[in-house]
Amino acid sequence: MPVVTPRFSVLSEDFAADPYRYFAQLREQAPVHHEPEIDCYFVSRHEDVKRVLSDHDAFSTEMLQVRAEPVMRGPILAQMTGAEHTAKRKTVVRGFTGRALQDQIPAIRANASELMAPFLPVGRVDLLNDFGKPFAVHVTLDVLGLDRQDWERVGDWHSGIAEFITSLTLTPERRRHCLDCAEQLEAYLLPVIQERRRRPGEDLISKLCTAEYDGTVMSDREVTGLIINVLVASTEPADKTLALLFKHLVDHPEQLAQVRREPELLGAAIAETLRHTPPVQLIPRQAEGDAVFAGGTVPAGATVFCMVGAANRDPDAFTDPDVFDIHRPDLGTARSFTAAAQHLSFGTGLHQCIGAAFARAEIETVAAMLLPLLDQVRYSPGFRYRETGLYTRGPASLWLDFTPVR
Ligand code: 2IO
């Protein structure tokens, strides 16, 4: 029975409950799906998604001016092109790789053990809401060099900003709330930026405040945009990825046992989690001219959403794509976190995620700590698994029971 009927909608409750059951028919019957209510196009084939993200002349990021800039309070990397993009991307990359990454590992460990401590004697935790969300915010604050004490406020502002970016439809009331969050975060950041300009440290904000382009430093607005860019990109997918990893391992006890025996397999488990259930499901682009695909045409000026979840399950790209298998021969763990990745969970092309190596280290570090602590890990009695989100997507909660640690 076809599920993608002429009345099929990406905005329907059925699709939101489980988009994965629609992906095969979208790819086969409506590979360029038009959504009339929001007048946007959705491409779902691996080949088409790859083309949209790689052909930067035909598909621009122009629409981020309305989709992101109002809450980012300044331009983000994905909007930039040419020499400006190369230079600023390099500065931000330096905060996420090499020495900077290695220096963050002890802080990641400290955050993980502090945040998990209260739940160990109890033997029960909601890995998403009790642990993952605060953990993701703490790690981001450390990278930026912001006060960890402020995590609740910053976390709330982050949620409002992320809601703006990841909503396909937004009521005027919610829009106001999101913009309020962004304005409050901006007001919180301005004195910090001033201070770091005077007394720079080793943190990413200091690097942004002091880096020079053509002999000048960035304005407050430019620095603010990039800080919020990093804040959202580093926080929003992290808790989801961690919870999805544990969900898959609990669902596949034999693979969980293997990862426990050989923690070196965690990289593969994370890569397969990202392929199978990408936390970022949609990547928007703007068609600069009429774009002709095998399954339809996107008219000039229209927004086209790349469906990452559908592309990663395309049988033309992966064998038995719906199977979660950390040993799949077509995974390629090492290249999964580089520009050579076959899955598209970090995007591809000029704007491919700069946090991929950091994300791997972050999730690998925390998972390697949690696995030995969570002995006999299983779903809590009565727990019903549910996912939410069309743009960024992950478990609504993940209640786990384990052997209490005295
Ligand atoms: C922050 C969607 C969480 C990015 C975004 C407006 C720009 C860009 C992304 C990812 C993940 C976020 N887009 N990171 O898809 O920086």
Side-chain angles (χ1 to χ4, degrees):
M1 192 187 62
V3 286
V4 180
T5 64
R7 282 172 53 214
F8 164 82
S9 172
V10 165
L11 305 174
S12 69
E13 271 175 44
D14 287 345
F15 184 79
D18 183 7
Y20 294 99
R21 62 189 282 266
Y22 294 93
F23 286 160
Q25 292 191 42
L26 269 173
R27 283 187 312 257
E28 285 157 24
Q29 296 167 23
V32 183
H33 168 77
H34 180 244
E35 200 57 62
E37 198 184 317
I38 50 175
D39 194 17
C40 292
Y41 293 77
F42 290 79
V43 295
S44 45
R45 289 181 181 165
H46 189 276
E47 189 191 344
D48 293 343
V49 168
K50 213 169 164 162
R51 171 180 152 198
V52 170
L53 296 178
S54 308
D55 188 345
H56 309 107
D57 295 326
F59 302 97
S60 76
T61 54
E62 209 56 39
M63 74 299 139
L64 288 175
Q65 256 171 60
V66 281
R67 286 207 61 94
E69 212 174 317
V71 283
M72 307 311 269
R73 317 304 297 167
I76 64 173
L77 286 177
Q79 287 174 281
M80 301 171 192
T81 52
E84 183 198 15
H85 177 255
T86 308
K88 292 184 178 173
R89 181 174 163 115
K90 203 187 247 172
T91 303
V92 182
V93 164
R94 260 191 239 117
F96 276 107
T97 51
R99 261 279 311 279
L101 195 169
Q102 286 316 313
D103 290 351
Q104 285 301 322
I105 303 287
I108 293 173
R109 288 214 182 91
N111 282 319
S113 62
E114 182 190 321
L115 291 166
M116 190 49 83
F119 305 101
L120 293 179
V122 185
R124 178 170 293 178
V125 68
D126 174 354
L127 194 69
L128 185 92
N129 296 295
D130 290 341
F131 178 81
K133 281 189 182 175
F135 171 76
V137 179
H138 277 75
V139 171
T140 302
L141 291 176
D142 286 344
V143 169
L144 290 170
L146 292 170
D147 195 340
R148 299 166 75 226
Q149 306 243 318
D150 295 333
W151 77 270
E152 268 176 301
R153 284 198 290 165
V154 177
D156 287 345
W157 295 329
H158 156 79
S159 298
I161 294 167
E163 180 183 341
F164 183 95
I165 294 164
T166 64
S167 295
L168 297 182
T169 54
L170 203 60
T171 64
E173 292 74 34
R174 292 312 293 172
R175 189 185 159 84
R176 190 60 252 161
H177 166 77
C178 297
L179 292 171
D180 276 348
C181 288
E183 281 158 24
Q184 288 177 49
L185 176 58
E186 183 182 27
Y188 165 89
L189 289 174
L190 275 176
V192 179
I193 294 170
Q194 248 101 72
E195 168 66 20
R196 300 290 154 90
R197 286 198 197 280
R198 278 195 299 271
R199 266 188 294 274
E202 291 296 302
D203 56 276
L204 183 49
I205 294 183
S206 296
K207 289 193 181 93
L208 294 172
C209 286
T210 53
E212 289 189 16
Y213 303 101
D214 303 327
T216 46
V217 294
M218 283 188 265
S219 67
D220 288 352
R221 180 169 165 274
E222 290 173 293
V223 173
T224 303
L226 291 179
I227 294 174
I228 302 182
N229 189 170
V230 167
L231 172 78
V232 177
S234 152
T235 307
E236 180 66 11
D239 55 343
K240 295 168 183 64
T241 306
L242 179 69
L244 288 164
L245 169 69
F246 273 83
K247 187 248 181 220
H248 291 311
L249 292 178
V250 169
D251 284 345
H252 299 89
E254 69 301 335
Q255 298 185 50
L256 170 61
Q258 285 164 355
V259 173
R260 283 191 187 284
R261 276 198 305 272
E262 289 172 66
E264 311 81 61
L265 288 171
L266 263 175
I270 296 164
E272 177 65 345
T273 296
L274 291 170
R275 181 200 69 84
H276 193 263
T277 44
V280 180
Q281 292 270 329
L282 299 176
I283 304 176
R285 289 293 184 265
Q286 182 170 310
E288 288 304 297
D290 289 354
V292 181
F293 295 87
T297 298
V298 175
T303 294
V304 47
F305 280 102
C306 296
M307 302 183 89
V308 177
N312 284 352
R313 304 265 192 124
D314 191 331
D316 285 345
F318 291 97
T319 308
D320 292 331
D322 292 323
V323 175
F324 179 88
D325 178 9
I326 66 172
H327 302 295
R328 62 169 50 252
D330 48 10
L331 183 63
T333 301
R335 75 186 151 101
S336 285
F337 300 92
T338 71
Q342 170 78 341
H343 71 75
L344 298 169
S345 304
F346 292 122
T348 190
L350 209 56
H351 298 296
Q352 191 179 28
C353 179
I354 57 172
F358 187 88
R360 177 185 178 166
E362 177 183 358
I363 304 300
E364 214 166 23
T365 301
V366 60
M369 284 180 69
L370 293 184
L371 280 173
L373 291 172
L374 307 183
D375 178 44
Q376 300 287 322
V377 66
R378 60 210 178 263
Y379 293 127
S380 304
F383 170 66
R384 236 191 95 253
Y385 182 77
R386 193 170 65 83
E387 288 182 5
T388 57
L390 290 178
Y391 195 122
T392 54
R393 183 175 183 84
S397 63
L398 195 74
W399 282 101
L400 299 176
D401 278 19
F402 54 93
T403 312
V405 183
R406 304 275 166 222

mmCIF file of all heavy atoms in Angstrom, residues 113-155:
data_model
loop_
_atom_site.group_PDB
_atom_site.id
_atom_site.type_symbol
_atom_site.label_atom_id
_atom_site.label_comp_id
_atom_site.label_asym_id
_atom_site.label_seq_id
_atom_site.Cartn_x
_atom_site.Cartn_y
_atom_site.Cartn_z
ATOM 1 N N SER A 113 31.305 13.037 34.516
ATOM 2 C CA SER A 113 31.221 12.351 35.813
ATOM 3 C C SER A 113 30.440 13.187 36.817
ATOM 4 O O SER A 113 29.672 12.642 37.603
ATOM 5 C CB SER A 113 32.609 11.941 36.338
ATOM 6 O OG SER A 113 33.387 13.062 36.537
ATOM 7 N N GLU A 114 30.569 14.510 36.757
ATOM 8 C CA GLU A 114 29.802 15.360 37.672
ATOM 9 C C GLU A 114 28.297 15.240 37.409
ATOM 10 O O GLU A 114 27.494 15.131 38.344
ATOM 11 C CB GLU A 114 30.259 16.820 37.506
ATOM 12 C CG GLU A 114 29.562 17.789 38.455
ATOM 13 C CD GLU A 114 29.848 19.254 38.093
ATOM 14 O OE1 GLU A 114 31.001 19.557 37.717
ATOM 15 O OE2 GLU A 114 28.910 20.064 38.173
ATOM 16 N N LEU A 115 27.918 15.246 36.147
ATOM 17 C CA LEU A 115 26.488 15.243 35.819
ATOM 18 C C LEU A 115 25.844 13.871 35.993
ATOM 19 O O LEU A 115 24.636 13.770 36.209
ATOM 20 C CB LEU A 115 26.277 15.750 34.379
ATOM 21 C CG LEU A 115 26.572 17.246 34.180
ATOM 22 C CD1 LEU A 115 26.673 17.589 32.702
ATOM 23 C CD2 LEU A 115 25.501 18.097 34.857
ATOM 24 N N MET A 116 26.636 12.795 35.927
ATOM 25 C CA MET A 116 26.051 11.457 36.082
ATOM 26 C C MET A 116 26.010 11.034 37.547
ATOM 27 O O MET A 116 25.173 10.197 37.931
ATOM 28 C CB MET A 116 26.839 10.441 35.243
ATOM 29 C CG MET A 116 26.215 9.060 35.112
ATOM 30 S SD MET A 116 24.460 9.038 34.648
ATOM 31 C CE MET A 116 24.575 9.206 32.887
ATOM 32 N N ALA A 117 26.873 11.635 38.377
ATOM 33 C CA ALA A 117 27.015 11.201 39.781
ATOM 34 C C ALA A 117 25.686 11.033 40.532
ATOM 35 O O ALA A 117 25.480 10.004 41.178
ATOM 36 C CB ALA A 117 27.939 12.161 40.519
ATOM 37 N N PRO A 118 24.751 12.005 40.442
ATOM 38 C CA PRO A 118 23.521 11.859 41.231
ATOM 39 C C PRO A 118 22.677 10.645 40.847
ATOM 40 O O PRO A 118 21.876 10.180 41.666
ATOM 41 C CB PRO A 118 22.737 13.155 40.943
ATOM 42 C CG PRO A 118 23.623 14.034 40.165
ATOM 43 C CD PRO A 118 24.793 13.269 39.689
ATOM 44 N N PHE A 119 22.839 10.141 39.642
ATOM 45 C CA PHE A 119 21.960 9.061 39.165
ATOM 46 C C PHE A 119 22.538 7.673 39.422
ATOM 47 O O PHE A 119 21.812 6.685 39.392
ATOM 48 C CB PHE A 119 21.664 9.242 37.671
ATOM 49 C CG PHE A 119 21.101 10.603 37.386
ATOM 50 C CD1 PHE A 119 21.900 11.625 36.871
ATOM 51 C CD2 PHE A 119 19.776 10.890 37.684
ATOM 52 C CE1 PHE A 119 21.392 12.888 36.651
ATOM 53 C CE2 PHE A 119 19.249 12.146 37.460
ATOM 54 C CZ PHE A 119 20.065 13.158 36.944
ATOM 55 N N LEU A 120 23.835 7.596 39.698
ATOM 56 C CA LEU A 120 24.491 6.291 39.854
ATOM 57 C C LEU A 120 23.916 5.475 41.018
ATOM 58 O O LEU A 120 23.612 4.295 40.842
ATOM 59 C CB LEU A 120 26.007 6.465 39.981
ATOM 60 C CG LEU A 120 26.694 6.982 38.706
ATOM 61 C CD1 LEU A 120 28.194 7.149 38.930
ATOM 62 C CD2 LEU A 120 26.430 6.049 37.526
ATOM 63 N N PRO A 121 23.735 6.076 42.222
ATOM 64 C CA PRO A 121 23.192 5.266 43.318
ATOM 65 C C PRO A 121 21.728 4.886 43.111
ATOM 66 O O PRO A 121 21.239 3.934 43.724
ATOM 67 C CB PRO A 121 23.340 6.168 44.554
ATOM 68 C CG PRO A 121 23.814 7.481 44.091
ATOM 69 C CD PRO A 121 24.074 7.445 42.633
ATOM 70 N N VAL A 122 21.024 5.627 42.238
ATOM 71 C CA VAL A 122 19.600 5.385 42.003
ATOM 72 C C VAL A 122 19.398 4.240 41.007
ATOM 73 O O VAL A 122 18.446 3.465 41.106
ATOM 74 C CB VAL A 122 18.917 6.671 41.466
ATOM 75 C CG1 VAL A 122 17.419 6.488 41.330
ATOM 76 C CG2 VAL A 122 19.246 7.866 42.358
ATOM 77 N N GLY A 123 20.283 4.139 40.017
ATOM 78 C CA GLY A 123 20.130 3.091 39.005
ATOM 79 C C GLY A 123 19.092 3.416 37.960
ATOM 80 O O GLY A 123 18.591 2.533 37.268
ATOM 81 N N ARG A 124 18.759 4.677 37.802
ATOM 82 C CA ARG A 124 17.775 5.093 36.787
ATOM 83 C C ARG A 124 18.099 6.506 36.323
ATOM 84 O O ARG A 124 18.378 7.379 37.150
ATOM 85 C CB ARG A 124 16.358 5.031 37.352
ATOM 86 C CG ARG A 124 15.287 5.500 36.363
ATOM 87 C CD ARG A 124 13.886 5.203 36.849
ATOM 88 N NE ARG A 124 13.640 3.765 36.883
ATOM 89 C CZ ARG A 124 12.503 3.210 37.308
ATOM 90 N NH1 ARG A 124 11.519 3.974 37.745
ATOM 91 N NH2 ARG A 124 12.352 1.903 37.295
ATOM 92 N N VAL A 125 18.065 6.740 34.987
ATOM 93 C CA VAL A 125 18.336 8.068 34.453
ATOM 94 C C VAL A 125 17.580 8.265 33.142
ATOM 95 O O VAL A 125 17.405 7.307 32.373
ATOM 96 C CB VAL A 125 19.868 8.272 34.237
ATOM 97 C CG1 VAL A 125 20.406 7.371 33.116
ATOM 98 C CG2 VAL A 125 20.206 9.726 33.939
ATOM 99 N N ASP A 126 17.099 9.481 32.899
ATOM 100 C CA ASP A 126 16.637 9.853 31.561
ATOM 101 C C ASP A 126 17.867 10.405 30.847
ATOM 102 O O ASP A 126 18.251 11.556 31.064
ATOM 103 C CB ASP A 126 15.519 10.900 31.661
ATOM 104 C CG ASP A 126 15.091 11.428 30.281
ATOM 105 O OD1 ASP A 126 15.731 11.070 29.270
ATOM 106 O OD2 ASP A 126 14.115 12.203 30.231
ATOM 107 N N LEU A 127 18.488 9.565 30.038
ATOM 108 C CA LEU A 127 19.784 9.916 29.452
ATOM 109 C C LEU A 127 19.706 11.173 28.588
ATOM 110 O O LEU A 127 20.714 11.855 28.391
ATOM 111 C CB LEU A 127 20.337 8.740 28.631
ATOM 112 C CG LEU A 127 21.809 8.867 28.253
ATOM 113 C CD1 LEU A 127 22.706 8.744 29.481
ATOM 114 C CD2 LEU A 127 22.211 7.837 27.202
ATOM 115 N N LEU A 128 18.519 11.503 28.072
ATOM 116 C CA LEU A 128 18.404 12.703 27.255
ATOM 117 C C LEU A 128 18.265 13.957 28.125
ATOM 118 O O LEU A 128 19.069 14.880 28.039
ATOM 119 C CB LEU A 128 17.214 12.626 26.296
ATOM 120 C CG LEU A 128 17.202 13.841 25.364
ATOM 121 C CD1 LEU A 128 17.958 13.556 24.090
ATOM 122 C CD2 LEU A 128 15.810 14.346 25.077
ATOM 123 N N ASN A 129 17.222 13.974 28.980
ATOM 124 C CA ASN A 129 16.885 15.211 29.692
ATOM 125 C C ASN A 129 17.670 15.403 30.986
ATOM 126 O O ASN A 129 18.032 16.531 31.323
ATOM 127 C CB ASN A 129 15.376 15.252 29.963
ATOM 128 C CG ASN A 129 14.584 15.303 28.672
ATOM 129 O OD1 ASN A 129 14.661 16.275 27.920
ATOM 130 N ND2 ASN A 129 13.854 14.238 28.368
ATOM 131 N N ASP A 130 17.921 14.314 31.729
ATOM 132 C CA ASP A 130 18.661 14.437 32.990
ATOM 133 C C ASP A 130 20.146 14.670 32.737
ATOM 134 O O ASP A 130 20.806 15.396 33.460
ATOM 135 C CB ASP A 130 18.541 13.148 33.828
ATOM 136 C CG ASP A 130 17.147 12.954 34.394
ATOM 137 O OD1 ASP A 130 16.394 13.948 34.448
ATOM 138 O OD2 ASP A 130 16.826 11.812 34.784
ATOM 139 N N PHE A 131 20.670 13.992 31.722
ATOM 140 C CA PHE A 131 22.120 14.012 31.504
ATOM 141 C C PHE A 131 22.537 14.706 30.203
ATOM 142 O O PHE A 131 23.323 15.642 30.213
ATOM 143 C CB PHE A 131 22.676 12.579 31.529
ATOM 144 C CG PHE A 131 24.149 12.518 31.261
ATOM 145 C CD1 PHE A 131 25.062 12.777 32.275
ATOM 146 C CD2 PHE A 131 24.622 12.245 29.984
ATOM 147 C CE1 PHE A 131 26.426 12.754 32.023
ATOM 148 C CE2 PHE A 131 25.991 12.231 29.723
ATOM 149 C CZ PHE A 131 26.887 12.480 30.746
ATOM 150 N N GLY A 132 22.011 14.239 29.072
ATOM 151 C CA GLY A 132 22.493 14.694 27.763
ATOM 152 C C GLY A 132 22.367 16.191 27.522
ATOM 153 O O GLY A 132 23.308 16.826 27.049
ATOM 154 N N LYS A 133 21.197 16.760 27.856
ATOM 155 C CA LYS A 133 21.000 18.189 27.591
ATOM 156 C C LYS A 133 21.967 19.058 28.394
ATOM 157 O O LYS A 133 22.689 19.870 27.811
ATOM 158 C CB LYS A 133 19.542 18.589 27.838
ATOM 159 C CG LYS A 133 18.632 18.205 26.678
ATOM 160 C CD LYS A 133 17.234 18.796 26.822
ATOM 161 C CE LYS A 133 16.366 18.323 25.642
ATOM 162 N NZ LYS A 133 14.971 18.763 25.776
ATOM 163 N N PRO A 134 22.005 18.897 29.753
ATOM 164 C CA PRO A 134 22.995 19.697 30.483
ATOM 165 C C PRO A 134 24.431 19.400 30.056
ATOM 166 O O PRO A 134 25.247 20.326 29.959
ATOM 167 C CB PRO A 134 22.769 19.310 31.956
ATOM 168 C CG PRO A 134 21.800 18.181 31.965
ATOM 169 C CD PRO A 134 21.104 18.161 30.653
ATOM 170 N N PHE A 135 24.729 18.148 29.748
ATOM 171 C CA PHE A 135 26.085 17.789 29.312
ATOM 172 C C PHE A 135 26.460 18.540 28.039
ATOM 173 O O PHE A 135 27.539 19.136 27.938
ATOM 174 C CB PHE A 135 26.185 16.269 29.095
ATOM 175 C CG PHE A 135 27.460 15.815 28.453
ATOM 176 C CD1 PHE A 135 28.641 15.755 29.177
ATOM 177 C CD2 PHE A 135 27.481 15.448 27.108
ATOM 178 C CE1 PHE A 135 29.826 15.349 28.578
ATOM 179 C CE2 PHE A 135 28.662 15.044 26.495
ATOM 180 C CZ PHE A 135 29.826 14.985 27.234
ATOM 181 N N ALA A 136 25.563 18.538 27.049
ATOM 182 C CA ALA A 136 25.847 19.204 25.776
ATOM 183 C C ALA A 136 26.107 20.700 25.985
ATOM 184 O O ALA A 136 27.028 21.268 25.390
ATOM 185 C CB ALA A 136 24.685 18.994 24.809
ATOM 186 N N VAL A 137 25.311 21.337 26.850
ATOM 187 C CA VAL A 137 25.490 22.777 27.087
ATOM 188 C C VAL A 137 26.817 23.027 27.815
ATOM 189 O O VAL A 137 27.571 23.933 27.463
ATOM 190 C CB VAL A 137 24.307 23.368 27.886
ATOM 191 C CG1 VAL A 137 24.523 24.854 28.152
ATOM 192 C CG2 VAL A 137 22.990 23.165 27.146
ATOM 193 N N HIS A 138 27.130 22.207 28.827
ATOM 194 C CA HIS A 138 28.377 22.371 29.576
ATOM 195 C C HIS A 138 29.597 22.274 28.656
ATOM 196 O O HIS A 138 30.520 23.083 28.750
ATOM 197 C CB HIS A 138 28.493 21.302 30.670
ATOM 198 C CG HIS A 138 27.755 21.640 31.922
ATOM 199 N ND1 HIS A 138 26.390 21.553 32.036
ATOM 200 C CD2 HIS A 138 28.194 22.082 33.128
ATOM 201 C CE1 HIS A 138 26.017 21.916 33.247
ATOM 202 N NE2 HIS A 138 27.091 22.254 33.934
ATOM 203 N N VAL A 139 29.605 21.274 27.777
ATOM 204 C CA VAL A 139 30.762 21.091 26.891
ATOM 205 C C VAL A 139 30.918 22.307 25.972
ATOM 206 O O VAL A 139 32.018 22.812 25.760
ATOM 207 C CB VAL A 139 30.618 19.780 26.076
ATOM 208 C CG1 VAL A 139 31.703 19.687 25.002
ATOM 209 C CG2 VAL A 139 30.675 18.562 27.004
ATOM 210 N N THR A 140 29.792 22.808 25.444
ATOM 211 C CA THR A 140 29.845 23.979 24.569
ATOM 212 C C THR A 140 30.367 25.204 25.322
ATOM 213 O O THR A 140 31.192 25.963 24.797
ATOM 214 C CB THR A 140 28.444 24.282 23.997
ATOM 215 O OG1 THR A 140 27.984 23.127 23.294
ATOM 216 C CG2 THR A 140 28.489 25.453 23.051
ATOM 217 N N LEU A 141 29.904 25.406 26.555
ATOM 218 C CA LEU A 141 30.360 26.552 27.348
ATOM 219 C C LEU A 141 31.862 26.477 27.573
ATOM 220 O O LEU A 141 32.566 27.491 27.510
ATOM 221 C CB LEU A 141 29.618 26.598 28.690
ATOM 222 C CG LEU A 141 28.129 26.951 28.619
ATOM 223 C CD1 LEU A 141 27.478 26.859 29.992
ATOM 224 C CD2 LEU A 141 27.915 28.344 28.034
ATOM 225 N N ASP A 142 32.379 25.275 27.829
ATOM 226 C CA ASP A 142 33.824 25.107 28.017
ATOM 227 C C ASP A 142 34.607 25.487 26.762
ATOM 228 O O ASP A 142 35.641 26.153 26.841
ATOM 229 C CB ASP A 142 34.153 23.650 28.388
ATOM 230 C CG ASP A 142 33.759 23.313 29.821
ATOM 231 O OD1 ASP A 142 33.524 24.254 30.606
ATOM 232 O OD2 ASP A 142 33.702 22.112 30.159
ATOM 233 N N VAL A 143 34.107 25.054 25.596
ATOM 234 C CA VAL A 143 34.796 25.375 24.340
ATOM 235 C C VAL A 143 34.838 26.886 24.140
ATOM 236 O O VAL A 143 35.862 27.460 23.764
ATOM 237 C CB VAL A 143 34.090 24.710 23.130
ATOM 238 C CG1 VAL A 143 34.631 25.245 21.818
ATOM 239 C CG2 VAL A 143 34.243 23.196 23.191
ATOM 240 N N LEU A 144 33.702 27.546 24.403
ATOM 241 C CA LEU A 144 33.621 28.986 24.175
ATOM 242 C C LEU A 144 34.350 29.767 25.268
ATOM 243 O O LEU A 144 34.706 30.928 25.076
ATOM 244 C CB LEU A 144 32.156 29.421 24.115
ATOM 245 C CG LEU A 144 31.375 28.966 22.874
ATOM 246 C CD1 LEU A 144 29.888 29.239 23.042
ATOM 247 C CD2 LEU A 144 31.898 29.668 21.620
ATOM 248 N N GLY A 145 34.544 29.122 26.422
ATOM 249 C CA GLY A 145 35.141 29.829 27.550
ATOM 250 C C GLY A 145 34.120 30.660 28.300
ATOM 251 O O GLY A 145 34.425 31.746 28.796
ATOM 252 N N LEU A 146 32.870 30.167 28.373
ATOM 253 C CA LEU A 146 31.827 30.847 29.141
ATOM 254 C C LEU A 146 31.653 30.143 30.482
ATOM 255 O O LEU A 146 32.053 28.987 30.647
ATOM 256 C CB LEU A 146 30.511 30.852 28.358
ATOM 257 C CG LEU A 146 30.507 31.721 27.089
ATOM 258 C CD1 LEU A 146 29.254 31.473 26.254
ATOM 259 C CD2 LEU A 146 30.616 33.207 27.451
ATOM 260 N N ASP A 147 31.019 30.863 31.430
ATOM 261 C CA ASP A 147 30.882 30.346 32.791
ATOM 262 C C ASP A 147 29.896 29.178 32.845
ATOM 263 O O ASP A 147 28.727 29.335 32.472
ATOM 264 C CB ASP A 147 30.396 31.488 33.701
ATOM 265 C CG ASP A 147 30.570 31.166 35.172
ATOM 266 O OD1 ASP A 147 30.688 29.958 35.506
ATOM 267 O OD2 ASP A 147 30.591 32.106 35.979
ATOM 268 N N ARG A 148 30.354 28.020 33.349
ATOM 269 C CA ARG A 148 29.489 26.841 33.409
ATOM 270 C C ARG A 148 28.290 27.055 34.336
ATOM 271 O O ARG A 148 27.259 26.407 34.180
ATOM 272 C CB ARG A 148 30.298 25.629 33.874
ATOM 273 C CG ARG A 148 31.432 25.307 32.916
ATOM 274 C CD ARG A 148 32.436 24.345 33.516
ATOM 275 N NE ARG A 148 31.925 22.996 33.559
ATOM 276 C CZ ARG A 148 32.018 22.202 34.605
ATOM 277 N NH1 ARG A 148 32.607 22.609 35.702
ATOM 278 N NH2 ARG A 148 31.537 20.994 34.563
ATOM 279 N N GLN A 149 28.434 27.990 35.282
ATOM 280 C CA GLN A 149 27.316 28.308 36.188
ATOM 281 C C GLN A 149 26.107 28.842 35.434
ATOM 282 O O GLN A 149 24.993 28.774 35.919
ATOM 283 C CB GLN A 149 27.764 29.379 37.191
ATOM 284 C CG GLN A 149 29.021 29.029 37.952
ATOM 285 C CD GLN A 149 28.756 28.918 39.429
ATOM 286 O OE1 GLN A 149 28.042 29.726 39.993
ATOM 287 N NE2 GLN A 149 29.328 27.895 40.045
ATOM 288 N N ASP A 150 26.352 29.412 34.259
ATOM 289 C CA ASP A 150 25.258 30.038 33.499
ATOM 290 C C ASP A 150 24.532 29.038 32.605
ATOM 291 O O ASP A 150 23.748 29.434 31.742
ATOM 292 C CB ASP A 150 25.815 31.178 32.622
ATOM 293 C CG ASP A 150 26.374 32.307 33.466
ATOM 294 O OD1 ASP A 150 25.901 32.480 34.609
ATOM 295 O OD2 ASP A 150 27.288 32.997 32.982
ATOM 296 N N TRP A 151 24.776 27.728 32.796
ATOM 297 C CA TRP A 151 24.305 26.748 31.810
ATOM 298 C C TRP A 151 22.790 26.727 31.649
ATOM 299 O O TRP A 151 22.293 26.526 30.541
ATOM 300 C CB TRP A 151 24.844 25.357 32.125
ATOM 301 C CG TRP A 151 24.145 24.650 33.252
ATOM 302 C CD1 TRP A 151 24.475 24.692 34.564
ATOM 303 C CD2 TRP A 151 23.004 23.798 33.143
ATOM 304 N NE1 TRP A 151 23.608 23.930 35.293
ATOM 305 C CE2 TRP A 151 22.693 23.368 34.450
ATOM 306 C CE3 TRP A 151 22.213 23.360 32.077
ATOM 307 C CZ2 TRP A 151 21.615 22.522 34.720
ATOM 308 C CZ3 TRP A 151 21.144 22.526 32.346
ATOM 309 C CH2 TRP A 151 20.858 22.114 33.660
ATOM 310 N N GLU A 152 22.039 26.992 32.754
ATOM 311 C CA GLU A 152 20.579 26.908 32.613
ATOM 312 C C GLU A 152 20.029 28.039 31.744
ATOM 313 O O GLU A 152 19.218 27.808 30.855
ATOM 314 C CB GLU A 152 19.901 26.885 33.992
ATOM 315 C CG GLU A 152 19.713 25.452 34.446
ATOM 316 C CD GLU A 152 19.144 25.329 35.848
ATOM 317 O OE1 GLU A 152 19.775 25.841 36.795
ATOM 318 O OE2 GLU A 152 18.073 24.713 35.980
ATOM 319 N N ARG A 153 20.521 29.262 32.022
ATOM 320 C CA ARG A 153 20.087 30.412 31.210
ATOM 321 C C ARG A 153 20.488 30.230 29.749
ATOM 322 O O ARG A 153 19.684 30.386 28.839
ATOM 323 C CB ARG A 153 20.773 31.699 31.722
ATOM 324 C CG ARG A 153 20.179 32.251 32.999
ATOM 325 C CD ARG A 153 20.594 33.687 33.173
ATOM 326 N NE ARG A 153 22.031 33.830 33.488
ATOM 327 C CZ ARG A 153 22.691 34.978 33.403
ATOM 328 N NH1 ARG A 153 22.059 36.073 33.013
ATOM 329 N NH2 ARG A 153 23.971 35.043 33.722
ATOM 330 N N VAL A 154 21.771 29.895 29.542
ATOM 331 C CA VAL A 154 22.264 29.737 28.168
ATOM 332 C C VAL A 154 21.522 28.600 27.463
ATOM 333 O O VAL A 154 21.160 28.704 26.286
ATOM 334 C CB VAL A 154 23.792 29.496 28.154
ATOM 335 C CG1 VAL A 154 24.290 29.248 26.740
ATOM 336 C CG2 VAL A 154 24.518 30.700 28.758
ATOM 337 N N GLY A 155 21.237 27.513 28.211
ATOM 338 C CA GLY A 155 20.492 26.388 27.645
ATOM 339 C C GLY A 155 19.094 26.797 27.195
ATOM 340 O O GLY A 155 18.627 26.370 26.128
#
